[in-house]
Amino acid sequence: MKFEIAPNVHWVGKIDWELRKFHGEEYSTHRGSSYNAYLVRDDKTALIDTVWRPFAEEFVANLAGEIDLHKIDYIIAHHAEMDHSGALPELMRHIPDKPIYCTANGVKSLKGHYHADWNFQVVKTGDKLSLGGKDLVFVEAMMLHWPDSMMTYLTGDAILFSNDAFGQHIASENMFNDLVVQSELFEEATKYYANILTPFSPLVTKKINEVVALNLPVNAICPSHGVIWRDNPMQIAQKYLQWAADYQENQITVIYDTMWDGTRMLAENIAKGIRQQDERVTVKLCNIARSDINDVVTEVFKSKAILLGSPTINKGILNAVSALLEMITGLRFKNKKAAAFGCYGWSGESVNILGDHLSRAGFEVVQEGLKALWQPNGDALAQAVAFGRDFAGKV
Ligand code: FEO
């Protein structure tokens, strides 16, 4: 299967409807994904990226149906992560001498993955590769999201091949942004940014402004996952600028795990207090042990503040809450407020642990945590409501 982006530019990747976990088990892909590769024909022909290793043979066979592999003049490897480079060994088995254009870091990571000494051609920002009438112009994009990442701009057709940036994990037979359900598209694009790009937000802003300053026309943005942005393509770049600016909506998310429902009851009464204080704020509750962690991270991304709860167990906290804390620490969210809560029976360390960890993760802890001894009722639940009211008043 192929999709036409311009008469001489075609998508030749793989749509993976079955994918449910990505990066090992790190990222949930409820809607599948795609590994986008592109064939650009002019006097010379360039292949931009490949697909994940399990689809290597299928990819190369399909590609050979599209073009005599020996007529591919250049291979562009934007990024060595295996979802894009995984079919290179199979491809290079057929055309071992063809040049692979990548960044200096790309050589290191491709060699590190495949231990092959292919014909690497190192490129830097601004370097051009002539295809005849049109040029490929390379743009390094270090840490968006790997040290080796880069993008390529095709002159004439004005297409930006952006690699992971601007992607979404969506499988679709309608490969263009104007042909898919918009709410699903932006839900997945937001989740992708929240879970992958948040730590690199300052670099996102810098790189987009750098590209915008060049004042180049952009008819399409072709990412390496999900659908191609051809209808108002710069809308996703504008979204990225918003998301990179310490994004938040008027939302408070209450996240907890619970053993015997005590911490859940606190969570629900805290939410009641928030609503009493501010009926306009969006309040969401997530039992982290029963929720998809990447979806919860997306809710954290959208929130101006979070409340995090765990009962005390073995002088610590429940492990689903630990996993979330680990993840949000790495993502380095900024400009978000927080507080902690939890039940206890004996020693009651959980609330202090949560508060300390939230501070270390960069959240501003705006009030002392709420602890409830044994199963909360009466006064304890009233305190939880008041705690929620106070919190909503401060954020
Ligand atoms: Fe889609 Fe960083 O790989």
Side-chain angles (χ1 to χ4, degrees):
M1 183 180 3
K2 66 175 184 178
F3 294 92
E4 182 171 301
I5 300 138
N8 56 315
V9 181
H10 293 91
W11 176 98
V12 288
K14 171 68 187 176
I15 300 172
D16 187 352
W17 282 94
E18 291 194 350
L19 190 75
R20 288 295 175 270
K21 288 285 182 183
F22 187 71
H23 280 169
E25 294 292 306
E26 181 77 6
Y27 188 112
S28 58
T29 47
H30 308 312
R31 295 188 170 97
S33 192
S34 67
Y35 319 106
N36 297 342
Y38 301 95
L39 198 60
V40 182
R41 291 181 173 98
D42 199 353
D43 296 340
K44 299 284 188 181
T45 296
L47 173 70
I48 298 181
D49 289 325
T50 68
V51 302
W52 190 26
R53 188 164 46 194
F55 304 106
E57 290 181 5
E58 176 184 334
F59 167 74
V60 172
N62 287 342
L63 191 61
E66 179 67 23
I67 186 172
D68 175 352
L69 296 178
H70 296 280
K71 292 194 172 153
I72 295 172
D73 298 291
Y74 312 121
I75 298 160
I76 316 300
H78 279 146
H79 171 38
E81 206 165 4
M82 295 196 184
D83 47 327
H84 310 298
S85 69
L88 269 180
E90 174 64 12
L91 180 65
M92 298 314 282
R93 207 167 58 76
H94 296 272
I95 47 174
D97 299 325
K98 295 291 178 174
I100 298 176
Y101 290 77
C102 61
T103 61
N105 283 329
V107 176
K108 290 182 197 167
S109 46
L110 286 167
K111 280 188 174 176
H113 282 166
Y114 303 111
H115 308 285
D117 203 14
W118 293 317
N119 176 10
F120 293 111
Q121 300 293 317
V122 172
V123 295
K124 301 188 296 300
T125 294
D127 287 353
K128 289 183 182 171
L129 178 63
S130 174
L131 299 181
K134 298 166 186 169
D135 293 332
L136 295 176
V137 184
F138 302 111
V139 181
E140 290 171 277
M142 188 184 265
M143 297 318 296
L144 294 177
H145 66 127
W146 268 25
D148 64 0
S149 299
M150 71 166 186
M151 306 180 187
T152 300
Y153 179 78
L154 173 65
T155 63
D157 292 304
I159 295 172
L160 179 68
F161 300 93
S162 60
N163 193 247
D164 279 326
F166 310 128
Q168 341 83 40
H169 285 302
I170 295 177
S172 176
E173 301 293 321
N174 309 81
M175 239 328 161
F176 297 98
N177 70 312
D178 50 309
L179 301 181
V180 296
V181 177
Q182 297 300 290
S183 57
E184 292 180 4
L185 171 60
F186 281 96
E187 191 179 303
E188 292 299 338
T190 309
K191 176 176 175 177
Y192 189 96
Y193 189 97
N195 282 271
I196 297 173
L197 289 158
T198 297
F200 311 116
S201 286
L203 299 171
V204 169
T205 307
K206 191 164 168 248
K207 185 55 62 178
I208 291 176
N209 288 333
E210 186 184 310
V211 173
V212 167
L214 297 174
N215 222 3
L216 297 167
V218 177
N219 291 335
I221 294 178
C222 296
S224 57
H225 297 290
V227 302
I228 292 157
W229 302 89
R230 70 176 180 185
D231 177 39
N232 184 13
M234 288 305 283
Q235 66 178 301
I236 189 61
Q238 295 303 329
K239 272 282 174 207
Y240 266 44
L241 287 173
Q242 285 176 19
W243 290 337
D246 302 339
Y247 183 72
Q248 55 174 242
E249 298 175 10
N250 187 24
Q251 177 174 329
I252 298 174
T253 307
V254 186
I255 306 163
Y256 64 92
D257 193 3
T258 192
M259 290 173 71
W260 297 106
D261 283 338
T263 301
R264 176 181 62 77
M265 289 162 69
L266 291 181
E268 291 178 359
N269 282 275
I270 289 169
K272 190 171 161 187
I274 295 168
R275 285 198 310 276
Q276 284 178 2
Q277 179 68 29
D278 181 357
E279 67 173 12
R280 306 189 79 82
V281 68
T282 299
V283 187
K284 293 189 182 176
L285 277 76
C286 306
N287 178 325
I288 183 64
R290 296 184 183 184
S291 306
D292 179 286
I293 193 166
N294 302 111
D295 292 342
V296 175
V297 163
T298 309
E299 296 302 337
V300 174
F301 174 72
K302 291 192 289 182
S303 297
K304 63 180 179 181
I306 65 167
L307 288 134
L308 192 58
S310 171
T312 297
I313 178 168
N314 298 331
K315 298 186 178 179
I317 59 177
L318 290 173
N319 59 17
V321 181
S322 294
L324 179 74
L325 274 167
E326 193 64 30
M327 198 173 266
I328 63 179
T329 300
L331 289 170
R332 304 201 293 275
F333 288 109
K334 303 232 168 20
N335 192 29
K336 296 191 189 295
K337 297 185 166 75
F341 63 96
C343 290
Y344 68 104
W346 307 107
S347 49
E349 287 88 348
S350 67
V351 171
N352 291 343
I353 292 170
L354 293 173
D356 290 348
H357 203 141
L358 284 165
S359 291
R360 287 201 303 282
F363 289 75
E364 183 190 347
V365 177
V366 294
Q367 64 194 41
E368 194 174 330
L370 175 72
K371 295 182 183 181
L373 181 62
W374 300 116
Q375 199 71 351
N377 68 352
D379 285 351
L381 293 179
Q383 278 175 19
V385 174
F387 184 81
R389 262 199 316 267
D390 289 351
F391 186 76
K394 289 173 182 165
V395 303

